[in-house]
Amino acid sequence: MFAAIQPRRLYRQVADQIRTLIESGEFAVGERLPGERELAEKLGVSRPTIREALIALEVEGLVHIRMGSGIYVTRRPEKPAPAQAEDLEGPFELLRARALIECAIAEEAAKAIMPAHIDALDDVLTKMASTFNDPRTSIALDRTFHTTIAGIIENAALNRFVGELFDQRMTPYFEKLASYFESPASWREAFEEHRAIRDAIASGDPARAKSAMQHHLLQSQVRFSKSFDEELESEKGHPAGGRSRSTKI
């Protein structure tokens, strides 16, 4: 049975509970787990937290995610993936932190913008426009764009912090999540959002700059939030997860 979640790192607690059920045989190899919505309701946590937990379990090799179908229990590999650090942030936790910090930075950048700063942002955007099919280059330029904005206010600590926070998306969890949702189309969307941020900062309007950055980082969360079993949910009109699991949840 699932137990009530206590404050710690929520996604780690959720992953621990599901892992225990799998290892005890409550969910058999090849069996589909309850859908994200159902798990979120049963455990009293958000769907992003469920998403982070499932990604952690997939990195460990305990489940396999099939887009549009659901999450299935798989056999543990002969050589399990190395245990991840307990304090490793989840992808959505990182995106929320970036939203809080970088919105304020964009606001301040609009107050200090100079022609040379605009040129630097334009240079990054020009390069970014031709990399939609090259994820590694797109990510590198994405980082440069955000650190360039931080550099406008000439605070070395903030500039370094923005870079370090961005680099935490290179964890196995974030990379696994991105593998399902990042595409040339998603990078094109992000590019248009970056261009809106550039225009807002260049206009010298702090409120507009903050809003543009907020929109971009919110949309980043939305892009990573499409349900793994969305097709089943939309077809049935209720949580995906197959037959009732009342005896196990």
Side-chain angles (χ1 to χ4, degrees):
M1 298 287 291
F2 287 120
I5 295 299
Q6 299 297 323
R8 198 179 101 208
R9 244 196 178 83
L10 284 178
Y11 85 92
R12 298 288 301 187
Q13 293 187 72
V14 172
D16 288 346
Q17 288 202 38
I18 297 174
R19 184 190 305 104
T20 297
L21 290 172
I22 291 173
E23 293 179 341
S24 68
E26 289 291 321
F27 292 106
V29 171
E31 188 173 0
R32 179 156 53 87
L33 295 177
E36 290 177 87
R37 183 178 300 165
E38 183 178 350
L39 286 171
E41 291 173 354
K42 294 293 186 181
L43 291 167
V45 297
S46 68
R47 290 183 73 173
T49 297
I50 295 295
R51 173 68 52 92
E52 291 171 336
L54 293 172
I55 287 293
L57 292 172
E58 186 173 40
V59 169
E60 292 178 24
L62 279 176
V63 302
H64 175 61
I65 296 169
R66 301 178 193 169
M67 291 299 294
S69 177
I71 302 92
Y72 295 81
V73 178
T74 187
R75 294 186 185 279
R76 182 183 289 275
E78 293 182 8
K79 294 182 178 180
Q84 301 297 323
E86 278 290 322
D87 61 351
L88 199 63
E89 288 84 1
F92 291 94
E93 188 175 9
L94 286 170
L95 287 170
R96 288 191 292 269
R98 288 186 59 198
L100 288 171
I101 295 163
E102 295 192 51
C103 286
I105 289 174
E107 189 175 20
E108 292 300 313
K111 300 175 185 178
I113 192 71
M114 300 288 287
H117 299 141
I118 298 174
D119 290 342
L121 290 173
D122 287 344
D123 181 60
V124 178
L125 289 174
T126 297
K127 294 174 181 176
M128 193 179 289
S130 62
T131 65
F132 301 147
N133 292 297
D134 184 352
R136 289 188 179 277
T137 302
S138 292
I139 290 172
L141 289 170
D142 192 351
R143 183 187 192 280
T144 300
F145 181 80
H146 287 275
T147 56
T148 298
I149 291 172
I152 293 172
I153 58 180
E154 298 184 348
N155 184 306
L158 274 177
N159 200 338
R160 182 176 65 254
F161 184 64
V162 167
E164 290 175 351
L165 195 59
F166 189 98
D167 290 343
Q168 291 183 59
R169 68 166 287 161
M170 304 307 176
T171 65
Y173 298 161
F174 210 126
E175 289 184 344
K176 177 61 73 174
L177 182 64
S179 73
Y180 288 108
F181 300 107
E182 285 185 343
S183 66
S186 71
W187 280 113
R188 190 172 291 106
E189 289 176 5
F191 172 78
E192 294 300 333
E193 292 157 18
H194 286 149
R195 186 155 61 182
I197 294 168
R198 176 268 183 211
D199 291 346
I201 292 175
S203 73
D205 185 335
R208 181 182 165 196
K210 179 180 180 180
S211 178
M213 181 65 78
Q214 186 174 50
H215 174 73
H216 167 53
L217 292 173
L218 176 60
Q219 288 305 113
S220 294
Q221 295 181 53
V222 170
R223 280 188 281 273
F224 289 127
S225 295
K226 181 180 178 183
S227 179
F228 292 133
D229 42 25
E230 184 172 280
E231 292 180 12
L232 289 173
E233 290 188 3
S234 62
E235 288 175 6
K236 297 181 179 180
H238 57 72
R243 60 187 176 83
S244 171
R245 304 309 305 267
S246 59
T247 60
K248 296 184 181 179
I249 297 176

